[in-house]
Amino acid sequence: MDNEYWLRSHPVLNVLRARREHPDLPGQRRDGHRIGLAVEGGGMRGVVSAAMLAALEDLGLPFTAFDAIYGTSSGSINCAYYVGGNTWYPLSIYFDDLSTREFVDFRRAFTGNILNLDYVVDSVITKVKPLDTGALIGSAVPLHIAVTNVDERRTESVHDFASDTEVLSALRASMWLPVAIRGTTRFRDFRAVDGGVLTPHPFQLALDDGCTHVLSLSTRPIREPRKRYGASQFVSYRHLEKLQPGLGDGYLAAVRRYRSDRQRLQTRMREPGAAPYVLDLAPLPRMPEVKRHELRLGPLIAGARGGYELMCCAIEGIDPARLRSGGMQAVPRFTFVRREYGSRPHSLPRPGTSARVQAITRTPRESNGSVEVDG
């Protein structure tokens, strides 16, 4: 049965389910499709898309199910960990490492940067929960990181990384949020800021790159787009104009364009239209919205739970209305991790399914109104 948000038989879902049942590798595709994964940023809202990616992996769709991956801002970080595998583990970054004043502190607004990217890049993703940058460089599925070229006032879709240092530099540039961080950073030979300035959502990068099907992950809830600019957008406009004349104008134009894009994407959830196909999955209207600079553990856990549930419903063809009744839900579970500082984690073995945040797996069967999991 279809639901009010997306078609159970949406072309994007159909091709992903087919690849799950008959997995192959990039360069050996038999279906003739080019499937892209596009992940929106949004600061701490990234916990939502991180949970969606964890669900994809748990449901038998690792990064090799896609032909190319596109991310911006915190979405780039999530995608980078997705390529490295064990996506459930870096999801905890939002709970354990970023929900701290060491990362976000508005008291630094007049004395320094509100966001501390040195802490994120040089400590968290390098040492505390190390990112496998080598996996990105050698991956057969390229990760395209959106970076705004300040000097040329355009979005660069960077994917041909020459070194570990360049990967980290691209991630830093893609997260360099104007206003929250002063000035610009440097990437290669140009000044750079957050990739979302001119490309609010990277799904368009996937279409421009020739993808026939795009799974788009959004962190903003499904809703009617705003018709007016907010105060923060005017502040960003003035900041960007000071960095480079015309960049603020480009930013406001991108905001307007994304408003119409979002309406179109929401329509295409139930009316896919002609190829190329895009399915945009976003938190449902009833789900709590995670704020960009959220530090409270409760809303972060709720956002992750909603993202995980949403992906499970989409891939398994379950009506999300079941979530409202409590008949289906993601239930957080603890797992104990043992690792040396700066090394990849090793969790204690768990019988049955490998999911770390459990909802349903590939073959759920209903019994007496509950869901049993085939492990």
Side-chain angles (χ1 to χ4, degrees), residues 104-106 108-117 150 175-185 192-194 197 230-243 247-248 251 292-293:
V104 182
D105 193 345
F106 285 94
R108 296 193 296 256
F110 299 104
T111 61
N113 297 321
I114 295 173
L115 301 184
N116 183 356
L117 288 190
V150 172
M175 294 188 293
W176 197 276
L177 185 64
V179 181
I181 308 175
R182 295 182 176 182
T184 65
T185 187
V193 294
D194 192 306
V197 168
S232 63
Q233 291 170 327
F234 281 115
V235 172
S236 296
Y237 164 78
R238 290 195 297 267
H239 178 87
L240 293 167
E241 280 295 302
K242 290 178 180 179
L243 293 180
L247 186 59
Y251 162 71
R292 179 183 287 273
H293 301 124

Side-chain angles (χ1 to χ4, degrees), residues 55 59 286-287 301-302 304-313 318-333 355-361 364 366 369-373:
L59 292 166
R286 64 174 183 78
M287 291 180 173
I301 293 287
R305 179 190 292 231
Y308 198 99
E309 290 173 341
L310 185 71
M311 185 60 69
C312 288
C313 287
I318 297 171
D319 189 340
R322 298 283 308 276
L323 299 173
R324 281 197 291 269
S325 66
M328 297 279 184
Q329 64 177 163
V331 181
R333 295 179 65 179
R356 301 298 186 246
V357 184
Q358 177 139 3
I360 54 174
T361 54
E366 297 187 19
S370 64
V371 172
E372 300 176 0
V373 178

